[in-house]
Every structure is written in structure tokens, then in C-alpha cells.
Amino acid sequence: MVALTVNGKTHQVDVDPDTPLLYVLRGELELNAAKYGCGLGQCGACTVLVDGEPVFSCVTPVLVLEGRKVTTVEGLGTLEAPGPLQQAFIEEQAAQCGYCIAGMMMRAQALLQRNAAATDEEIKAHMEPNLCRCGTHMRIMAAIKRAGKLMQTASAASTGRTG
Ligand code: FES
Ligand code: FES
């Protein structure tokens, strides 16, 4: 039994501790956004955050995750109340087939939560491990920039309210 905290909720999962996180998310927890692309840590389709940092869930055994916080794209918002990245990806129509998109959003989230004003060059360098076979990179870039602006606006508004 492994205790896994995903999107703020702790689950006891009855799996072999060597099981990759991706299989547990999809097979046990019904969190199907993260995708199986290569299974080898080479494409990024399975990217989720662990304690705020992007990891390839296809090569991350659940045993190393006890006591750590996993975030998947389902944890960024809901259909009714999408988070900034989800909103921006919709507005920019950034997905073509969509297979890479959850991984893209999670890697982008790691960057934007540190620096919502990241430059094009910083975004390109940060996103490098994640591949998109459909070639929608320009729209993905635009969506990440838009999400950063949404985050900055929200942060300014919240500072204004509390300050
Ligand atoms: S499926 Fe995990 S990196 Fe490709
Ligand atoms: S939108 Fe198809 S792989 Fe990226």
C-alpha cells in the first residue's frame, strides 16, 4: 500500500511500489489527462508536478512519492472554473490532437508559478523536454504567454485587494 497525495487529496493505493506514477494516475485514480507517449522519459506527454517540479510520471515509481505533492492538469482547474493555463490553451486553440497538451501545461505551470513574466527564450528553453508531434509549438507558446499574463493580472488584482 502506498499513500499518494494528488491534487490535494491523499489516496491509499494498493500497487507494487515500483509501479510508475502514470499507471497509478490513469489506472487507479481515474486521472487520465497525463498520457503515455514513449514510456521512456523522452516525450513529456506524461509530465506532472511533484512538489512543484515537472517529472516524467512514466518513469517515476510511486514509492518515491510518499509525503510529496503530486499535481496533475486536473488539479489546475475545472470545466466550470478553468485555471489560467487551461483558459489560455482554450483561447489560443493550442491543441491539435491534444495528446501532448496536459504534459505541456504541467511543464509550463512549473515555470509560470516561479516566473509568470518569463520571456520567449525562457519559455522555449524550459519547454524543450516536451514534444508535440502535431507541430503546434507557436500556439502552445502563445498560450503560455497568455497564461502568464492572466496570472500576473490575477496576482496584481489580489495584491490590490489585500494591500
Ligand atoms: S510517456 Fe513519459 S516521457 Fe514519454
Ligand atoms: S497537439 Fe498533437 S502532439 Fe501536440
Side-chain angles (χ1 to χ4, degrees):
M1 199 69 85
V2 178
L4 260 191
T5 302
V6 183
N7 301 333
K9 194 168 163 199
T10 300
H11 307 264
Q12 302 291 334
V13 287
D14 190 8
V15 295
D16 185 311
D18 288 330
T19 308
L21 172 61
L22 179 64
Y23 299 174
V24 174
L25 293 174
R26 297 179 58 84
E28 306 289 325
L29 304 181
E30 297 182 0
L31 295 168
N32 294 313
K35 297 288 186 284
Y36 183 97
C38 63
L40 298 167
Q42 293 179 357
C43 75
C46 64
T47 304
V48 300
L49 301 187
V50 174
D51 293 341
E53 293 301 321
V55 302
F56 298 131
S57 63
C58 68
V59 290
T60 305
V62 286
L63 69 92
V64 303
L65 297 171
E66 282 201 296
R68 306 179 73 185
K69 290 186 186 139
V70 177
T71 309
T72 70
V73 83
E74 291 93 340
L76 296 186
T78 63
L79 267 182
E80 298 71 32
L85 266 164
Q86 295 165 323
Q87 186 69 39
F89 270 69
I90 294 167
E91 287 170 0
E92 293 291 341
Q93 291 287 289
Q96 188 157 319
C97 80
Y99 207 80
C100 68
I101 295 295
M104 290 284 185
M105 282 199 272
M106 296 319 291
R107 183 165 298 277
Q109 174 75 11
L111 173 64
L112 295 182
Q113 67 197 7
R114 271 200 309 275
N115 178 14
T119 62
D120 286 7
E121 290 315 308
E122 287 167 333
I123 295 171
K124 273 187 209 158
H126 177 81
M127 296 303 291
E128 219 243 270
N130 285 47
L131 308 181
C132 172
R133 295 185 61 148
C134 296
T136 68
H137 300 88
M138 297 313 288
R139 281 187 276 156
I140 289 169
M141 279 289 298
I144 296 170
K145 296 278 283 185
R146 182 186 282 260
K149 289 201 180 86
L150 290 173
M151 288 179 187
Q152 290 174 70
T153 305
S155 160
S158 118
T159 307
R161 269 200 302 275
T162 56

